Amino acid sequence: MKPEHQDLILRACAASSLRVGAKMQTLWSGYGEIVRLHLEGCDRPSVVVKHVKFPQEAAHPGGWNTDRSHTRKVRSYEVETHWYRNYYTDRSCRTPACLAVCSHGDEMLIVLEDLDAAGYDQRRTSVKDREIKACLRWLAHFHALFLGVPPEGLWPVGTYWHLETRPDELEAMDDAELKAAAGAIDETLNGCVFKTLVHGDAKLANFCFSQGGEDVAAVDFQYVGGGCGMKDVVYFLGSCMEERECEKRVPGLLDHYFTELKRSVKKDVDFGALEKEWREMFAFAWTDFHRFLLGWRPGHWKINRYSKQLTKEVLLKLKL
């Protein structure tokens, strides 16, 4: 780590010294790393640093190494930096506090509160009902908090699979009918009356759990932006349940999400109209992500019977 970066962190945390700890994660396509730093002489035992360094040549695991892909990633880190500098959540949708940000040349540094030290030290690769509901509660509170808030400085339309940012993957699709309908599906979702900010990458891996699993915090805001809250919900559910679980459990879990959303929105919101619109958008949001997968990685495990059935329903609706 460069001396100037160390000085920034020491000043931001009022620490006397720091020690570089374990690398927690390599960023997607080799665009940097996330590391934990241990501090001395201040009230924080540690911080987490997201250190972005744009590579000379990216190594995308799916082979999508294009100028468009690089430009999208650069923009995603600019968005995340803007998010942490300018937007704030509360305890109902916990995120790490941002302690410092700097950007120079091909490097960016985001210094964040260590959620492990704050009690969110558990990660899950599989989840039980309690933990799924905790994440849906987080999403409901997040969507309620930012309902009607314009995505200033963020992605105009959030999520990393938004159609406008993925023309290469659309072109690669073999499903001609869904390919032809992709624009109409995107227009339907973008035409929602009730818009909020969406996390944009709300997979299970981006949630940090408390010891008992009843409380969660979320990280990774590279694709936060405007849109319908169902985009986050379908992406999260698809990240932690296989097709048979989806067929059996999605209706009840959707009810839970909307119960939490109703508790969280302001009293002047027409919740009946909001719920009706977003429930109608559920299949459209699921199909929209299915469209992306078919072009990006056609053999992905999430391309299953449940996704295909929802896509079939959406395509029929568009013909009516």
Side-chain angles (χ1 to χ4, degrees):
M1 182 173 289
K2 293 180 179 178
E4 56 265 37
H5 290 163
Q6 294 190 32
D7 290 343
L8 172 73
I9 295 164
L10 291 172
R11 288 197 309 273
C13 302
S16 58
S17 63
L18 62 81
R19 175 173 57 85
V20 179
K23 179 166 76 171
M24 302 166 65
Q25 182 184 334
T26 298
L27 297 178
W28 189 259
S29 299
Y31 275 64
E33 61 184 11
I34 301 175
V35 296
R36 177 173 282 112
L37 302 183
H38 301 280
L39 305 176
E40 296 289 344
C42 67
D43 58 359
R44 293 183 185 275
S46 56
V47 292
V48 170
V49 175
K50 191 167 189 175
H51 185 191
V52 180
K53 188 169 184 179
F54 303 128
Q56 296 299 313
E57 186 172 334
H60 193 289
W64 295 94
N65 297 324
T66 64
D67 289 343
R68 182 180 283 118
S69 174
H70 174 73
T71 301
R72 185 175 59 247
K73 290 184 182 68
V74 171
R75 177 60 185 150
S76 78
Y77 291 115
E78 292 171 348
V79 164
E80 184 169 39
T81 300
H82 186 82
W83 161 263
Y84 277 121
R85 277 176 164 160
N86 297 281
Y87 290 82
Y88 305 93
T89 62
D90 56 34
R91 292 197 63 82
S92 67
C93 45
R94 185 76 154 80
T95 59
C98 181
L99 307 174
V101 170
C102 77
S103 177
H104 183 71
D106 63 352
E107 291 187 76
M108 302 173 77
L109 206 73
I110 306 175
V111 184
L112 299 169
E113 170 191 17
D114 187 351
L115 288 173
D116 280 18
Y120 299 90
D121 60 348
Q122 302 295 304
R123 308 294 181 268
R124 298 284 192 267
T125 54
S126 62
V127 279
K128 297 178 181 177
D129 193 64
R130 174 178 57 186
E131 293 148 333
I132 292 176
K133 287 182 175 178
C135 293
L136 289 174
R137 183 170 63 248
W138 188 99
L139 288 173
H141 285 280
F142 184 84
H143 295 154
L145 181 63
F146 293 106
L147 191 66
V149 174
E152 295 178 0
L154 309 176
W155 293 98
V157 179
T159 75
Y160 70 81
W161 61 92
H162 176 225
L163 181 63
E164 187 178 329
T165 67
R166 294 290 187 166
D168 297 334
E169 290 81 357
L170 181 68
E171 183 60 32
M173 282 180 63
D174 289 331
D175 187 328
E177 186 178 10
L178 180 54
K179 188 175 185 177
I185 293 167
D186 185 56
E187 286 177 15
T188 301
L189 288 165
N190 293 339
C192 279
V193 173
F194 295 94
K195 291 189 177 73
T196 184
L197 297 186
V198 295
H199 177 284
D201 193 5
K203 60 189 175 187
L204 179 60
N206 282 334
F207 286 96
C208 307
F209 294 82
S210 63
Q211 194 72 40
E214 67 279 357
D215 290 320
V216 295
V219 296
D220 195 349
F221 288 88
Q222 288 173 232
Y223 291 94
V224 63
C228 171
M230 283 296 98
K231 291 184 177 184
D232 279 339
V233 172
V234 302
Y235 184 62
F236 169 71
L237 293 175
S239 78
C240 60
M241 295 194 300
E242 296 184 356
E243 59 183 349
R244 289 188 179 180
E245 285 185 285
C246 288
E247 290 166 354
K248 186 191 309 182
R249 301 174 66 188
V250 160
L253 292 171
L254 266 184
D255 288 344
H256 173 75
Y257 168 82
F258 281 110
T259 297
E260 292 292 338
L261 188 64
K262 186 175 184 179
R263 288 174 180 164
S264 308
V265 296
K266 294 176 181 177
K267 300 303 180 186
D268 60 348
V269 173
D270 184 346
F271 184 76
L274 167 60
E275 181 176 7
K276 182 177 184 296
E277 180 181 65
W278 281 13
R279 280 188 181 272
E280 290 173 354
M281 289 301 103
F282 176 82
F284 281 86
W286 198 294
T287 300
D288 188 51
F289 182 65
H290 181 65
R291 174 267 310 159
F292 164 71
L293 282 182
L294 287 175
W296 181 68
R297 194 171 291 178
H300 200 284
W301 67 270
K302 292 182 185 178
I303 299 173
N304 54 40
R305 185 177 66 242
Y306 184 77
S307 297
K308 290 175 182 176
Q309 179 57 39
L310 287 178
T311 298
K312 185 178 178 181
E313 292 173 12
V314 166
L315 293 174
L316 283 172
K317 285 180 182 178
L318 289 174
K319 290 177 181 177
L320 296 177

